[in-house]
Amino acid sequence: NVAHLDFDELEFPLLLRRWKKGDKFIPLGMKNFKKISDFFIDNKFSIIQKKEQWILCSGGEIVWLVGARIDERFKVKSTTKNLYIAELLDVN
């Protein structure tokens, strides 16, 4: 439930929202876009998990499927100078 991101790639303010039909991102380790709905199917998300999935966005781009996968474009690289750490906290 922690994402380490390249701070300099982010555009603020960040937006936390639920996923929407048509959303796509580049999952960490991949080179091409993937629809989030396909990512859910491939990773066997239940209907409840899909409905409860949060998305962290920056400048209209998906940065992190919270708790699941970050976007390749925002990962920490050898050239990263500033780190941004996002963490999902349990507020219950």
Side-chain angles (χ1 to χ4, degrees):
N1 290 335
V2 176
H4 294 88
L5 306 166
D6 187 330
F7 181 88
D8 297 322
E9 295 295 327
L10 298 172
E11 185 178 314
F12 291 87
L14 300 180
L15 172 68
L16 188 62
R17 64 169 175 83
R18 298 289 186 185
W19 79 281
K20 296 184 276 192
K21 186 176 181 178
D23 277 346
K24 61 185 180 177
F25 77 128
I26 303 174
L28 184 65
M30 295 184 70
K31 295 181 180 180
N32 297 314
F33 280 95
K34 183 176 199 95
K35 287 184 180 178
I36 290 182
S37 58
D38 292 338
F39 179 85
F40 288 158
I41 292 167
D42 293 348
N43 290 277
K44 299 178 179 18
F45 275 55
S46 70
I47 292 171
I48 294 170
Q49 287 174 305
K50 292 176 188 179
K51 288 182 180 179
E52 294 179 352
Q53 182 63 54
W54 287 101
I55 307 288
L56 184 66
C57 299
S58 169
E61 300 291 338
I62 293 174
V63 174
W64 183 31
L65 268 66
V66 178
R69 186 81 54 94
I70 67 169
D71 187 293
E72 177 72 21
R73 298 168 291 175
F74 299 94
K75 73 179 183 181
V76 175
K77 304 171 274 307
S78 60
T79 57
T80 298
K81 293 183 177 153
N82 298 299
L83 181 67
Y84 185 84
I85 300 173
E87 181 176 7
L88 174 64
L89 301 174
D90 185 4
V91 293
N92 292 330

